[in-house]
Amino acid sequence: MGLPDIGDYGLIGDGRAAALCSSSGSIDWLCLPRFDSEPVFGRLVGGEQAGSFAIHVDGVRETTRRYRDRSAVLETTWRTDSSEIRLTEGMVLDVSSTLMPQLVLVRRVEARGAPATGWVRFDPRKGLPGTPPRIARRQGTLLCSWGSLVLGLRTEPEIWVLPGQNKTFILDHASPVAFVLTMARAEPLVLVSGDHVLRALEATDRWWQEWCRGVEY
């Protein structure tokens, strides 16, 4: 299936759910709304028909990865012949204390140097081998639903993404692209702006740093 080794994946999570993200930019495993629920991205086990959420950049020559210091926010850096692209991704913590969806997963792509061409493939499938969703749009957000479970994908700036189809976009130093995945189950999906969730991710980064201060080996 062209999958990387399991050790290639990074883990991001919020204490209730977790995603496995490859160094090439694909989320190939995520169960929602909890760790023990059915996957909505299950390519790691079920192959292409089980779904994934991929962000790729053309012409990558070198890849490096790290977690931010004392944090669970993951950074992947791709280098091409003429540019450096960074993918920052993580899940927002403590959504219960603010007007936020039940889950917020943020993926932000930014470039330095020459413009770069990237593409995104958002292909959620519930369960194994994978059931495609019902699709709708509301206020710039793509909604994918299976009964009471709803996923929302918002891009800023807006990219017209369709499930299961590759969509090309251009990156330059002045125009980073944010992909915000949200979820609701058995309640209305709260729609949030990219700026709001990026601030929430930075707050999450600070929370992890504070939490790590209490860890002793």
Side-chain angles (χ1 to χ4, degrees), residues 61-79:
R61 303 293 187 186
E62 180 185 354
T63 301
T64 57
R65 308 189 89 188
R66 72 177 187 113
Y67 286 98
R68 289 184 181 178
D69 184 37
R70 297 170 298 154
S71 175
V73 176
L74 181 63
E75 293 182 343
T76 302
T77 301
W78 298 309
R79 294 179 179 85

Side-chain angles (χ1 to χ4, degrees), residues 24-214:
S24 61
S26 183
I27 294 180
D28 292 330
W29 188 256
L30 172 61
C31 296
L32 292 177
R34 306 189 325 175
F35 296 108
D36 57 351
S37 303
E38 290 186 302
V40 294
F41 303 125
R43 179 173 176 260
L44 182 65
V45 173
E48 295 296 336
Q49 62 182 346
S52 61
F53 181 11
I55 299 172
H56 289 301
V57 173
D58 292 344
V60 173
R61 303 293 187 186
E62 180 185 354
T63 301
T64 57
R65 308 189 89 188
R66 72 177 187 113
Y67 286 98
R68 289 184 181 178
D69 184 37
R70 297 170 298 154
S71 175
V73 176
L74 181 63
E75 293 182 343
T76 302
T77 301
W78 298 309
R79 294 179 179 85
T80 70
D81 289 338
S82 57
S83 58
E84 179 179 288
I85 299 93
R86 176 171 295 172
L87 169 64
T88 302
E89 50 194 340
M91 289 190 190
V92 173
L93 295 173
D94 195 26
V95 295
S96 62
S97 64
T98 57
L99 187 60
M100 295 280 277
Q102 292 170 308
L103 173 135
V104 181
L105 189 158
V106 185
R107 312 187 79 191
R108 184 177 188 269
V109 194
E110 56 187 323
R112 298 176 182 174
T117 301
W119 57 266
V120 58
R121 182 181 178 89
F122 179 69
D123 190 19
R125 303 287 184 109
K126 189 173 186 290
L128 296 172
T131 302
R134 294 179 58 186
I135 301 169
R137 289 187 186 273
R138 181 156 56 96
Q139 297 180 27
T141 300
L142 171 66
L143 302 178
C144 298
S145 62
W146 305 263
S148 64
L149 179 67
V150 182
L151 298 183
L153 180 69
R154 185 181 184 91
T155 63
E156 293 190 3
E158 186 173 1
I159 300 172
W160 193 262
V161 175
L162 289 174
Q165 298 184 21
N166 293 357
K167 182 66 176 181
T168 301
F169 59 92
I170 302 298
L171 282 168
D172 62 51
H173 70 279
S175 301
V177 179
F179 299 87
V180 180
L181 178 65
T182 55
M183 180 213 72
R185 185 182 187 187
E187 64 179 52
L189 180 67
V190 179
L191 301 181
V192 290
S193 69
D195 288 343
H196 183 56
V197 297
L198 288 172
R199 290 193 297 270
L201 185 63
E202 293 303 317
T204 291
D205 185 44
R206 294 190 294 272
W207 186 96
W208 282 116
Q209 294 176 25
E210 184 63 28
W211 181 82
C212 284
R213 292 191 180 98

